[in-house]
């Protein structure tokens, strides 16, 4: 089970989305056509099958509009569902339900899309020890919840921000004087509590990293499967190996079989389709 994030952290995201949607005068359509005091019930239903995520944010959207609304989750975050399934029921003031509807569905649809795509990638790694992980290619302002959706889909999180770990990319190497120079700088300056990852795109670079030391993880960028197998054989378990670059769903099973420890997939968050969810009265 994936523990929920504190509502205190998520509430500002949902509040900002509601303020954006309500505009300067609130929901004038609902205020015009719905009689005050109208009570009803509604259901969030799936038009397609997938894996749930964003239900906590959907609940917050309704609660922030009207704390008296009753939101009942039927399919919790990280649970699978089929097309036609009811994910949640909302009961209470009809105007409040209508005013929160779009924000709730926007969060739940996007995050369920991420969880669903992640689950599809994870399924391709079965029978291997490889783990699917996300990247920092996320929607600005929504990284925390998008990475939570990756967890709901069975994946793992890479660093959340630039301050989580040292990740030396090719541009760092170019600007820092080469592989040995940047690794020596890390060994001289970095905290002993900070993990270090370095990117390579050739086996001779990997050999240089292994000879110099100082890295905990090596990112193998844009290598074909044969080269990845060579990297695994060369490393012999001395560092964690992460394959990255153009990781399509159709390729994942082959990459996982090379023996790498992690496969990072930017597509989990940067180009995922929104799952089709609807709210029905």
């Amino acid at each position: 089970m994936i523990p929920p994030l504190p509502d205190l952290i998520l509430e500002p995201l949902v509040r900002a989305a509601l303020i954006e949607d309500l505009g300067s005068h609130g929901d004038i359509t609902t205020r015009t056509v719905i009689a005050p005091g109208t009570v009803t019930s509604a259901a969030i239903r799936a038009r397609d099958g997938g894996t749930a995520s964003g239900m906590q944010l959907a609940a917050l959207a309704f609660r922030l509009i009207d704390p008296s609304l009753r939101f009942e989750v039927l399919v919790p975050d990280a649970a699978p569902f089929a097309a036609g399934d009811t994910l949640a029921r909302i009961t209470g003031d009809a105007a409040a339900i209508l005013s929160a509807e779009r924000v709730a569905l926007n969060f739940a649809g996007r995050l369920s899309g991420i969880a669903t795509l992640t689950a599809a990638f994870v399924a391709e790694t079965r029978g291997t020890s490889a783990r699917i992980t996300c990247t920092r290619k996320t929607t600005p302002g929504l990284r925390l919840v998008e990475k939570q959706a990756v967890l709901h889909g069975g994946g793992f999180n890479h660093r959340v921000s630039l301050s989580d770990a040292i990740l030396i990319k090719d541009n760092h190497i170019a600007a820092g004087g080469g592989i040995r120079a940047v690794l020596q700088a890390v060994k001289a300056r970095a905290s002993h509590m900070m993990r270090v990852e370095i990117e390579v795109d050739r086996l001779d670079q990997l050999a240089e990293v292994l000879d110099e030391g100082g890295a905990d993880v090596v990112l193998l960028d844009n290598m074909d499967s044969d080269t990845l197998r060579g990297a695994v054989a060369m490393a012999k378990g001395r560092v964690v190996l992460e394959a990255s670059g153009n990781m399509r769903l159709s390729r994942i099973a082959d990459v996982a079989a090379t023996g790498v420890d992690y496969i990072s997939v930017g597509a989990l968050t940067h180009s995922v389709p929104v799952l089709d969810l609807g709210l029905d009265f």
Side-chain angles (χ1 to χ4, degrees), residues 169-223:
K169 303 279 282 183
D170 54 353
N171 285 338
H172 295 104
I173 294 169
I179 286 175
R180 291 190 184 277
V182 294
L183 287 175
Q184 288 167 6
V186 163
K187 287 187 282 187
R189 302 170 190 162
S191 165
H192 67 290
M193 300 295 289
M194 186 68 67
R195 283 174 65 82
V196 178
E197 180 172 14
I198 187 167
E199 177 183 12
V200 303
D201 53 25
R202 302 191 314 269
L203 292 184
D204 64 301
Q205 293 175 319
L206 174 59
E208 190 174 1
V209 170
L210 295 172
D211 182 63
E212 178 62 40
D216 304 293
V217 186
V218 178
L219 190 155
L220 307 171
D221 189 47
N222 282 301
M223 293 184 178

Side-chain angles (χ1 to χ4, degrees), residues 2-279:
I2 307 301
L5 293 166
D7 283 351
L8 183 67
I9 293 175
L10 300 180
E11 185 174 304
L13 300 179
V14 181
R15 187 181 296 275
L18 288 168
I19 291 171
E20 176 185 62
D21 205 34
L22 290 168
S24 59
H25 293 86
D27 184 356
I28 60 174
T29 306
T30 295
R31 289 189 358 235
T32 301
V33 305
I34 303 298
T38 301
V39 174
T40 189
S41 62
I44 295 178
R45 292 197 176 94
R47 313 289 192 234
D48 298 311
T51 299
S53 186
M55 301 309 295
Q56 183 183 2
L57 284 92
L60 272 171
F62 289 107
R63 192 181 311 144
L64 286 170
I65 291 291
D66 183 352
S68 71
L69 290 176
R70 182 170 179 264
F71 189 90
E72 180 187 8
V73 176
L74 302 179
V75 179
D77 287 338
F81 57 84
D85 283 356
T86 298
L87 307 187
R89 294 189 187 280
I90 311 98
T91 305
D93 183 74
I97 293 174
L98 288 164
S99 294
E101 170 187 358
R102 177 42 50 199
V103 167
L105 292 178
N106 282 352
F107 276 119
R110 171 149 183 87
L111 298 180
S112 292
I114 292 171
T116 299
L117 183 60
T118 302
F121 273 84
V122 170
E124 293 296 314
T125 68
R126 285 184 187 139
T128 74
S129 60
R131 294 174 166 183
I132 297 295
T133 186
C134 55
T135 70
R136 283 170 43 248
K137 297 175 182 177
T138 54
T139 306
L142 296 182
R143 178 174 296 164
L144 187 63
V145 295
E146 291 184 345
K147 283 183 171 285
Q148 184 81 344
V150 169
L151 297 179
H152 290 154
F156 287 78
N157 283 169
H158 212 281
R159 58 182 180 161
V160 175
S161 71
L162 292 171
S163 65
D164 291 352
I166 294 172
L167 174 46
I168 306 166
K169 303 279 282 183
D170 54 353
N171 285 338
H172 295 104
I173 294 169
I179 286 175
R180 291 190 184 277
V182 294
L183 287 175
Q184 288 167 6
V186 163
K187 287 187 282 187
R189 302 170 190 162
S191 165
H192 67 290
M193 300 295 289
M194 186 68 67
R195 283 174 65 82
V196 178
E197 180 172 14
I198 187 167
E199 177 183 12
V200 303
D201 53 25
R202 302 191 314 269
L203 292 184
D204 64 301
Q205 293 175 319
L206 174 59
E208 190 174 1
V209 170
L210 295 172
D211 182 63
E212 178 62 40
D216 304 293
V217 186
V218 178
L219 190 155
L220 307 171
D221 189 47
N222 282 301
M223 293 184 178
D224 60 31
S225 296
D226 286 341
T227 307
L228 289 173
R229 278 187 282 271
V232 171
M234 182 183 295
K236 297 178 182 177
R238 284 178 284 173
V239 292
V240 173
L241 295 179
E242 173 191 338
S244 181
N246 197 26
M247 291 298 171
R248 304 173 304 277
L249 186 61
S250 60
R251 189 189 171 205
I252 295 303
D254 189 47
V255 173
T258 65
V260 295
D261 302 291
Y262 287 87
I263 305 170
S264 55
V265 184
L268 298 181
T269 53
H270 73 55
S271 57
V272 65
V274 173
L275 206 70
D276 190 5
L277 307 177
L279 186 139

